Amino acid sequence: MKKNLIIATLLFAICLLGLNANAQTPAPVDPAWRVGTLSNGMKYYIRKNAKPEGKACFWIAHDIGALHESHNQNGLAHFLEHMAFNGLKNFPDKTMLEYMQSIGCAFGANINASTSQQLTQYMLTDVPISREGVIDTCLLILHDWSGHILCEQEELDAERGVIREEWRTGRSAMRRSYAEMAKTLYPGTPYATRTVIGDTSIINNFTQKDILDFYHDWYRPNLQAVVVVGDFDINMMENKVKNLFGTLKNPDNMKTKTEFNVSDNVEPIINVYKDPELTQSNVQLFVKFPAKFNKTNRNSEEAVRYDLANGYISAMLSARLSEAQQRPTTKFLNAFASIRNLAGDRDAFSLTVSAKNNELEVGFDEALTIVEQARRFGFTPSELERAKANLMQRYESNYAERNSKKHTDYNRFAYRNFQDNATIMSEEQSLNLAKKFNPDIQVEELNDIIKKMIVFGPNTVIYAAGPDKADVSMPNDEILGIVMYGVGKKQLSPYEDADTDKPLITKAIKAGKVSKETTNAAMDAIEWTLSNGAKVVIKQTPFKQDEITLNGFSFGGFSILPTAEWEATRNIMAVVDNSGVGEFDRTTLNKMLTGKKVNASPALSELNQGINGTCSPKDFETMLQLVHLYFTAPRFDQNDFDIVIGRSRNFLKNQSADPANALRDTLVNLLNNYNPRSKPMKEEDLDKFNLAKMQEIYKQRFANPGAFTFIFLGNIDVKTAKPLIEKYIGSLTGNKKESFKDLNKYPIKGEVKRHFTRAMKVEKASVNIVYTGELANTSENNMAMNYLARILRLRYTEEIREKRGGTYGASVRGTISNFPKERFNLTIAFDTDPKMMEELVEVAHDELKKIAENGPLSEDFQKTEGNLKSQFEQNQKENIYWVGVLFSYYSTGKDTHNTWLDAFSKTDAKAIQDLAKEILKQKNAIEVVMLPEE
């Protein structure tokens, strides 16, 4: 029986999309790449790119990961990645990090690495290369990462603690569930057992020989690729790469690299997993089939066409599932479908479904029935046209942004070629191939594919996971199997696609006018005052050719509402986001926006109301139409309200299962001194929600568009934009200006400790320390706070992570707020072994005290100074940076851009020391620690 199944499956693979024995057409290759293979087998990928200017990125990738560990090496591929930062042949100890930090790079942000089951990569990103010798040094670091990691015994022993704490921090319920799913989906293969982070008993006890064996077996040139992208001469870089890396040698007796495949299963494999800390019930179904393309033919036009066709199937199925999700009677919360490579020579169709407590069986049945409906009757031409239009919009946007790509956008193309032999195409080549294949891909072909692809039973795997709670009933494997086989017996009818060929706005609009026009030299922006009083700010930027952003706001928000009205409406934006706008529900609106790069959505926070959006320049009018409708015709539907309440109720029922929720609630209460207007939402709060009151409050909060400031930024044509803004924004009525109210939501004063326990499957201590107080929001104070947070991060990396092996990483964040009052928060957070908690909390406090007493270490100051300057230079060429600058300027009157360099030049070690003193002087420190129950 199994032999017949395999033969039938192979025949299906040959038939899928008409594959035959004919030679395939090589896909085009982007000529901007310089690709080569050295005599030792190492590949290189080099590309000149202009953004960011004066910088380059350096990567070395190893076509090896956790899959190739032996049993006594489980976790050592990842451990080896850590050792690459603890001593290299030409950079002993931490001298590599010290050098990179001295030229403005930050550990984590610019100096990093990652390990997966199949790939290990090391990276130096956005490195300033104007200084003499930087390129050579970065290439030498990659050279040492290739074959000269020292793995000294002292460093190995010191790093064991860091790895243990990374394991502890990452051992969440979701991670445990994923590990269980891997055992179900990949039985009998290393995919099921090699979790990357590894086995702690091996981490604690492996020998130096164990890790060096892995290193010498697998870190070799013929399994490596160097990738360099940046603002440099490509011929110069190619010569340097050839000369330096061409001398590396492979070992004499090379270990054979095994490709691991997933075997067929005649009967379905079904597993149900329960965990007390999971907060949601979900089920995943996989149907495996032989992959049509492998390394021998992955770089073909036929492979591109295959991916297009599969993408359309996934998109159309997911759209139907999303549409069903909007019905109030639907039991599943979310569902989506995809077709992808599963592992090795197996691809898979997958369906992922999440549902409310005790409704997973019904939700799975509903979602699978939608898949069966598509399998049985196929898709409609109109569905395919929408899928094509949406995909073409992404290709066209990618092409429009072809000259705006940053260095870090490119390494994934090199990796795909290196690992899978996928072609490296330019944006233009990708667009042209999509245009070539789209007319040929018809709905009949896709309907035929899914009939052959989705066959439940053989080669099917079902994995379900959910909360292990007395009041949550999970379906067993027998029930899930009955659901799977049962959908094929249902009486179904074909899907009917609704007509959405309507304009967004049909009513006549009387346009307003620009009544005043000025120029803001400081912001290099145009300012208009419209006839209704609204303020419009336009800043043209050259950074992204296919992007215009909108940030509109006015003050007031929830703060002006009585507490009872706030309690009835606090979840208002979830309802609005789920409801569509005007006469169009969310499903219809999504269909109407097919092929457009556009979104707009209102926002209501404690202190202001606003509306935000992004669009392509060609879709600017559509974005303004959405803005107009959100002011004039918001949609509040009982069905949409019921859906939101149902989802919220399910989430709130389960949130207590996650121990981190107790930590968050405690912090929120202390940081707001138990103000009733800041209390975390509980399930019983949903009973106070009122749809009619939400509609009333929304209309009230958005009744005065003339009081708004609308900031448009990006590739915007002022001449084209003016009449559209006059029409859709200038026509809005109401200009009463308001302000917010101070609700007295300030942190509890004094030195406050809250240590508490919670039941945990993996024991850890979670520490949050927050210093608070009053501080003027000046450029100088902000700069000093920025320095202080970064320097503390360096101190904790050294003292807590490296010296004590006490945490995987400590986060530090310092902010100074404008509203309602000028205040600061300095937050320090980390996870650790409960046995080390008291020691590390003391270290966390002491490092701040040391800076207050003696100032920062000079080397820490210099590292931070270089990184801040490099980051500022890069930020100025990013739209997202200017969005923040303009919002700050027009909401507070403070210029954070033009004062930056002055504040930077004035900030010295004494300024940072003075700030640390001021923070400690105010004697407000909240210390929250969550520990495991004994």
Side-chain angles (χ1 to χ4, degrees):
M1 180 177 177
K2 186 172 183 180
K3 181 179 179 182
N4 291 337
L5 168 67
I6 294 172
I7 293 172
T9 309
L10 288 172
L11 287 173
F12 156 66
I14 295 171
C15 293
L16 195 63
L17 280 179
L19 181 64
N20 52 46
N22 294 335
Q24 294 178 327
T25 308
V29 178
D30 184 354
W33 283 95
R34 189 72 58 84
V35 181
T37 304
L38 303 177
S39 59
N40 55 20
M42 177 180 278
K43 297 202 73 171
Y44 64 82
Y45 301 82
I46 304 171
R47 183 188 179 102
K48 177 176 175 57
N49 188 59
K51 296 186 178 183
E53 296 174 12
K55 294 187 177 183
C57 293
F58 304 81
W59 294 272
I60 184 166
H62 307 257
D63 189 18
I64 208 75
L67 288 182
H68 288 83
E69 298 165 337
S70 61
H71 179 70
N72 70 325
Q73 295 172 333
N74 190 1
L76 297 195
H78 171 252
F79 203 114
L80 181 60
E81 171 218 307
H82 279 238
M83 297 312 299
F85 300 92
N86 291 291
L88 305 171
K89 176 184 176 182
N90 291 290
F91 303 90
D93 300 323
K94 301 290 193 300
T95 54
M96 181 273 287
L97 287 174
E98 291 167 4
Y99 171 79
M100 294 303 301
Q101 289 170 326
S102 75
I103 62 171
C105 296
F107 183 44
N110 308 107
I111 314 158
N112 214 326
S114 70
T115 305
S116 70
Q117 289 182 315
Q118 302 180 72
L119 180 76
T120 305
Q121 61 168 323
Y122 299 89
M123 60 205 79
L124 304 170
T125 57
D126 292 335
V127 180
I129 57 173
S130 57
R131 188 186 301 184
E132 185 72 25
V134 169
I135 289 176
D136 290 334
T137 303
C138 288
L139 290 175
L140 185 59
I141 292 169
L142 264 59
H143 170 275
D144 279 12
W145 278 338
S146 168
H148 299 289
I149 302 173
L150 297 180
C151 291
E152 295 172 317
Q153 187 66 55
E154 183 179 353
E155 294 292 343
L156 287 170
D157 292 337
E159 199 69 19
R160 293 184 204 266
V162 176
I163 301 289
R164 284 195 299 268
E165 294 312 313
E166 184 177 358
W167 177 90
R168 192 190 309 277
T169 295
R171 194 68 176 167
S172 64
M174 288 297 293
R175 186 69 65 88
R176 294 192 294 270
S177 178
Y178 178 81
E180 186 68 20
M181 184 182 75
K183 295 175 186 177
T184 309
L185 192 55
Y186 307 108
T189 73
Y191 288 101
T193 56
R194 296 296 179 259
T195 60
V196 180
I197 193 66
D199 184 332
T200 52
S201 64
I202 291 175
I203 298 304
N204 291 333
N205 299 295
F206 74 88
T207 66
Q208 185 183 45
K209 181 179 182 302
D210 292 331
I211 196 167
L212 287 176
D213 284 347
F214 180 86
Y215 183 36
H216 295 145
D217 282 340
W218 300 119
Y219 273 48
R220 62 192 199 222
N222 67 350
L223 293 176
Q224 295 172 334
V226 168
V227 184
V228 191
V229 180
D231 190 13
F232 48 69
D233 179 82
I234 195 168
N235 294 318
M236 172 273 294
M237 188 63 71
E238 184 178 30
N239 288 332
K240 287 180 179 292
V241 167
K242 285 181 174 179
N243 291 335
L244 183 62
F245 293 94
T247 60
L248 293 170
K249 297 185 182 301
N250 293 298
D252 293 333
N253 298 310
M254 288 188 290
K255 201 167 186 176
T256 302
K257 181 175 180 286
T258 304
E259 298 295 336
F260 298 103
N261 297 312
V262 181
S263 60
D264 294 303
N265 52 284
V266 176
E267 299 296 330
I269 300 171
I270 306 175
N271 184 20
V272 179
Y273 171 75
K274 294 188 284 189
D275 191 295
E277 294 175 8
L278 279 174
T279 61
Q280 186 167 276
S281 301
N282 62 73
V283 60
Q284 291 177 271
L285 173 140
F286 301 86
V287 180
K288 301 178 289 186
F289 52 86
K292 183 175 177 181
F293 293 92
N294 53 39
K295 287 187 178 182
T296 63
N297 56 8
R298 187 73 214 166
N299 61 345
S300 63
E301 286 195 357
E302 287 76 8
V304 175
R305 187 186 188 282
Y306 177 80
D307 288 342
L308 276 174
N310 284 342
Y312 291 145
I313 292 170
S314 301
M316 290 186 291
L317 269 176
S318 294
R320 285 194 187 182
L321 292 163
S322 178
E323 180 178 338
Q325 187 181 311
Q326 295 299 118
R327 300 177 194 134
T329 56
T330 298
K331 299 302 182 182
F332 64 81
L333 297 171
N334 292 287
F336 62 89
S338 67
I339 302 166
R340 59 182 176 85
N341 181 252
L342 186 65
D345 64 355
R346 285 293 182 273
D347 287 349
F349 165 80
S350 68
L351 172 69
T352 302
V353 183
S354 64
K356 298 177 185 177
N357 289 352
N358 305 315
E359 295 182 351
L360 186 61
E361 175 189 343
V362 181
F364 180 46
D365 181 78
E366 288 177 338
L368 204 58
T369 299
I370 291 170
V371 173
E372 171 63 17
Q373 180 192 43
R375 191 200 69 79
R376 198 180 300 179
F377 300 107
F379 300 105
T380 66
S382 56
E383 288 179 286
L384 180 56
E385 288 310 305
R386 279 198 300 274
K388 287 181 177 180
N390 284 329
L391 184 93
M392 289 307 296
Q393 177 271 311
R394 291 194 290 273
Y395 274 103
E396 288 166 358
S397 180
N398 193 41
Y399 174 71
E401 297 287 7
R402 64 193 182 281
N403 297 320
S404 304
K405 297 289 181 69
K406 294 184 287 187
H407 308 327
T408 49
D409 293 329
Y410 283 109
N411 66 312
R412 67 182 187 277
F413 298 106
Y415 286 177
R416 285 194 65 212
N417 179 267
F418 171 52
Q419 284 201 289
D420 301 326
N421 196 32
T423 189
I424 305 178
M425 293 189 292
S426 69
E427 296 82 2
E428 183 177 14
Q429 290 167 337
S430 296
L431 176 62
N432 287 339
L433 269 191
K435 287 180 177 178
K436 172 183 176 180
F437 292 134
N438 261 345
D440 183 48
I441 299 174
Q442 296 298 314
V443 71
E444 293 80 10
E445 175 188 355
L446 303 185
N447 292 343
D448 186 56
I449 290 172
I450 61 170
K451 280 186 179 179
K452 296 172 181 175
M453 177 188 295
I454 306 173
V455 180
F456 302 134
N459 276 335
T460 301
V461 177
I462 301 176
Y463 174 76
D468 189 3
K469 294 172 61 179
D471 60 346
V472 177
S473 176
M474 290 286 292
N476 59 31
D477 53 357
E478 181 180 359
I479 289 174
L480 292 173
I482 290 171
V483 169
M484 177 186 68
Y485 285 118
V487 296
K489 302 174 184 177
K490 288 187 176 184
Q491 293 292 321
L492 301 174
S493 56
Y495 172 82
E496 294 183 8
D497 194 15
D499 177 27
T500 58
D501 188 17
K502 299 178 181 178
L504 280 171
I505 297 176
T506 56
K507 293 182 180 179
I509 296 175
K510 185 178 180 181
K513 288 291 182 181
V514 171
S515 59
K516 182 181 178 181
E517 181 172 341
T518 57
T519 299
N520 184 332
M523 294 292 105
D524 188 24
I526 297 169
E527 296 178 355
W528 293 338
T529 301
L530 302 183
S531 51
N532 62 359
K535 187 168 195 171
V536 174
V537 179
I538 295 181
K539 181 175 177 64
Q540 296 172 299
T541 65
F543 312 128
K544 299 195 79 172
Q545 296 304 302
D546 201 42
E547 181 178 274
I548 299 172
T549 68
L550 163 64
N551 185 356
F553 67 92
S554 70
F555 288 114
F558 282 120
S559 71
I560 69 167
L561 300 181
T563 297
E565 291 190 351
W566 169 76
E567 288 177 331
T569 62
R570 62 190 292 198
N571 208 31
I572 189 172
M573 295 321 300
V575 176
V576 173
D577 288 343
N578 193 62
S579 298
V581 69
E583 63 180 286
F584 310 112
D585 61 25
R586 173 54 60 184
T587 297
T588 304
L589 182 62
N590 288 341
K591 290 181 179 180
M592 293 173 69
L593 299 179
T594 293
K596 297 179 183 291
K597 181 182 178 180
V598 62
N599 69 76
S601 59
L604 186 56
S605 64
E606 182 171 286
L607 301 181
N608 59 48
Q609 48 276 333
I611 190 156
N612 303 303
T614 60
C615 69
S616 168
K618 66 183 179 62
D619 297 318
F620 184 66
E621 182 172 9
T622 302
M623 182 174 73
L624 291 180
Q625 289 175 335
L626 291 171
V627 170
H628 185 91
L629 287 172
Y630 275 119
F631 275 103
T632 61
R635 180 183 175 86
F636 287 85
D637 181 84
Q638 186 67 48
N639 286 339
D640 298 325
F641 176 79
D642 292 342
I643 290 169
V644 170
I645 296 299
R647 290 175 182 168
S648 299
R649 194 174 300 280
N650 189 75
F651 170 77
L652 294 170
K653 276 182 183 293
N654 293 333
Q655 66 173 351
S656 61
D658 182 1
N661 186 70
L663 184 70
R664 286 190 295 268
D665 284 358
T666 304
L667 274 170
V668 167
N669 283 326
L670 292 172
L671 288 171
N672 294 280
N673 200 9
Y674 295 91
N675 189 301
R677 293 287 288 265
S678 65
K679 63 181 181 180
M681 191 182 298
K682 303 298 180 185
E683 186 183 354
E684 57 268 23
D685 294 324
L686 298 176
D687 297 331
K688 299 175 184 178
F689 289 178
N690 183 290
L691 179 61
K693 180 58 69 173
M694 286 183 177
Q695 186 169 10
E696 175 191 334
I697 294 303
Y698 179 93
K699 289 183 176 180
Q700 177 197 114
R701 294 291 79 231
F702 288 85
N704 296 297
F708 273 63
T709 297
F710 296 90
I711 302 171
F712 294 96
L713 180 144
N715 185 21
I716 180 170
D717 180 83
V718 177
K719 186 176 179 181
T720 303
K722 187 174 182 179
L724 296 174
I725 290 172
E726 288 177 324
K727 178 179 180 180
Y728 294 110
I729 295 179
S731 61
L732 301 171
T733 58
N735 60 6
K736 177 185 175 184
K737 293 192 181 295
E738 297 175 310
S739 187
F740 55 81
K741 290 183 180 179
D742 187 344
L743 297 175
N744 197 32
K745 293 171 58 175
Y746 300 111
I748 193 168
K749 290 187 176 181
E751 296 178 352
V752 180
K753 292 185 179 182
R754 293 285 190 276
H755 293 196
F756 63 93
T757 62
R758 282 292 182 275
M760 301 178 191
K761 287 203 72 171
V762 175
E763 293 190 348
K764 68 178 178 180
S766 294
V767 176
N768 274 259
I769 300 169
V770 188
Y771 291 90
T772 70
E774 298 180 358
L775 189 67
N777 191 352
T778 64
S779 296
E780 291 78 12
N781 282 342
N782 272 293
M783 185 65 67
M785 182 65 82
N786 208 341
Y787 264 99
L788 179 61
R790 291 165 184 252
I791 288 171
L792 281 172
R793 207 173 298 137
L794 292 171
R795 289 292 80 229
Y796 296 147
T797 299
E798 176 66 22
E799 294 295 329
I800 297 179
R801 174 179 162 131
E802 298 299 332
K803 283 188 179 179
R804 294 169 174 83
T807 189
Y808 176 57
S811 68
V812 186
R813 185 168 181 261
T815 60
I816 306 175
S817 62
N818 279 293
F819 306 118
K821 293 180 180 177
E822 295 182 329
R823 295 183 58 85
F824 75 87
N825 274 26
L826 178 65
T827 303
I828 302 150
F830 58 89
D831 290 339
T832 188
D833 186 334
K835 296 174 183 176
M836 298 186 71
M837 182 275 294
E838 290 186 2
E839 176 190 356
L840 299 188
V841 167
E842 185 177 354
V843 171
H845 288 296
D846 284 348
E847 288 302 319
L848 179 60
K849 292 175 184 175
K850 288 178 184 178
I851 295 173
E853 293 168 359
N854 307 311
L857 298 177
S858 60
E859 57 266 34
D860 288 348
F861 180 87
Q862 290 165 6
K863 290 173 185 176
T864 304
E865 180 182 44
N867 184 246
L868 279 171
K869 186 175 182 181
S870 177
Q871 191 175 72
F872 177 68
E873 291 170 352
Q874 186 167 327
N875 282 346
Q876 296 176 75
K877 299 167 185 178
E878 303 283 349
N879 279 347
I880 193 170
Y881 166 79
W882 285 104
V883 167
V885 167
L886 291 175
F887 178 76
S888 176
Y889 184 89
Y890 286 100
S891 63
T892 70
K894 294 179 179 178
D895 183 345
T896 60
H897 173 71
N898 292 300
T899 60
W900 195 95
L901 285 174
D902 184 56
F904 180 73
S905 65
K906 290 178 180 177
T907 302
D908 55 13
K910 184 178 183 304
I912 298 162
Q913 182 180 8
D914 288 345
L915 176 60
K917 286 181 179 179
E918 179 60 28
I919 289 171
L920 293 174
K921 174 185 172 183
Q922 298 200 30
K923 296 183 178 180
N924 296 319
I926 297 170
E927 181 183 299
V928 177
V929 180
M930 183 173 67
L931 296 158
E933 289 181 347
E934 295 183 2

